[in-house]
Amino acid sequence: MGKIRTGILGGFQGKVGTVIGSTWRGEDIMRALPKKSSKNPTELQKNQRIKFKTVNEFLNPLRTPLNKYFGNDIGKKSRYNMATSYHITNAVEVTADTIQILYPRVLVSKGTLFGFQNLTVAVSETDLELKWDDNSVFGNAKAEDTVNVLCYNEEQNVFFVFENAAIRGGLSATVSLPQSLVGYEVIVYAFLYDTVSNTASNSVYLGSVALG
């Protein structure tokens, strides 16, 4: 049963007849109940559903950073939804019997901020040291842009997000992962963020590194 919240002409939540009412991003939304299809899904439809499920499960733990760092607000589409669309199109692959996330194509941030120059990563036990060249005078880059690092361990399906690990002008950053990851590999991404304009760079894939 639907509940009217602001009078007979106001929005409502729940199901009334063949209409569903809800609130999305501060606005009242009404939509028709979806009709069940008697047709079997095509292979393309099956693949798309598998891609959506896989991408959503992979990205869901990153919902907060993606909503901050991925692209710009466009209309009513959330940044997380934009990230989901990007990864379904570009970063997941379905074959006859397998589905996999294409980690080199993953973007944990997306934007127009000038990125790193000659970024590298080195490992010392569970510490990752990132270094890069000074490019703070190029484009819209600033020395005070923050450096952010994200690591992913596939075996344990766990992410580690290090925000404000350093600034661009510092030319290096060190982040420490838990000792419990010794012997495992982590996939590393890094990106820059301008806290004044709230603009991110595209994240950089640094590959998989072994800890310990």
Side-chain angles (χ1 to χ4, degrees):
M1 180 177 69
K3 294 182 179 180
I4 297 175
R5 293 180 284 107
T6 56
I8 195 168
L9 298 179
F12 67 93
Q13 289 185 329
K15 184 174 74 170
V16 178
T18 59
V19 178
I20 296 175
S22 62
T23 301
W24 185 68
R25 303 190 78 173
E27 295 194 8
D28 296 322
I29 304 295
M30 290 187 293
R31 59 186 175 85
L33 281 170
K35 295 180 179 179
K36 293 183 179 180
S37 174
S38 59
K39 297 180 180 179
N40 292 325
T42 65
E43 285 302 313
L44 182 61
Q45 290 172 327
K46 289 180 181 178
N47 284 348
Q48 197 69 5
R49 291 172 187 175
I50 293 171
K51 284 184 176 182
F52 179 83
K53 182 176 184 293
T54 302
V55 166
N56 193 56
E57 289 177 350
F58 175 68
L59 294 182
N60 192 56
L62 298 176
R63 185 177 291 270
T64 297
L66 286 172
N67 273 323
K68 180 177 181 180
Y69 298 119
F70 198 95
N72 300 306
D73 292 324
I74 300 176
K76 297 177 181 178
K77 191 171 185 179
S78 74
R79 298 187 186 201
Y80 179 79
N81 286 342
M82 287 188 283
T84 300
S85 296
Y86 165 82
H87 287 86
I88 289 173
T89 303
N90 299 286
V92 63
E93 184 176 72
V94 179
T95 60
D97 55 356
T98 61
I99 180 166
Q100 60 179 338
I101 297 291
L102 305 176
Y103 297 116
R105 299 185 186 177
V106 166
L107 288 179
V108 297
S109 70
K110 189 174 185 291
T112 57
L113 184 64
F114 204 79
F116 288 103
Q117 182 173 330
N118 298 327
L119 178 64
T120 61
V121 60
V123 185
S124 177
E125 295 188 0
T126 57
D127 290 344
L128 304 181
E129 184 179 15
L130 284 72
K131 292 184 177 181
W132 57 91
D133 294 342
D134 186 8
N135 63 351
S136 58
V137 298
F138 295 101
N140 60 352
K142 302 182 184 70
E144 59 269 24
D145 294 334
T146 64
V147 175
N148 306 271
V149 183
L150 185 143
C151 302
Y152 175 63
N153 175 248
E154 186 176 28
E155 289 85 351
Q156 298 182 17
N157 190 31
V158 61
F159 290 93
F160 300 88
V161 181
F162 303 91
E163 296 180 286
N164 304 319
I167 60 172
R168 186 196 296 262
L171 304 185
S172 68
T174 300
V175 298
S176 298
L177 291 159
Q179 287 291 321
S180 59
L181 286 177
V182 169
Y184 288 94
E185 293 189 354
V186 293
I187 299 166
V188 184
Y189 302 89
F191 62 95
L192 292 148
Y193 185 67
D194 179 354
T195 58
V196 177
S197 65
N198 296 326
T199 305
S201 68
N202 285 358
S203 59
V204 178
Y205 169 75
L206 289 166
S208 181
V209 298
L211 301 179

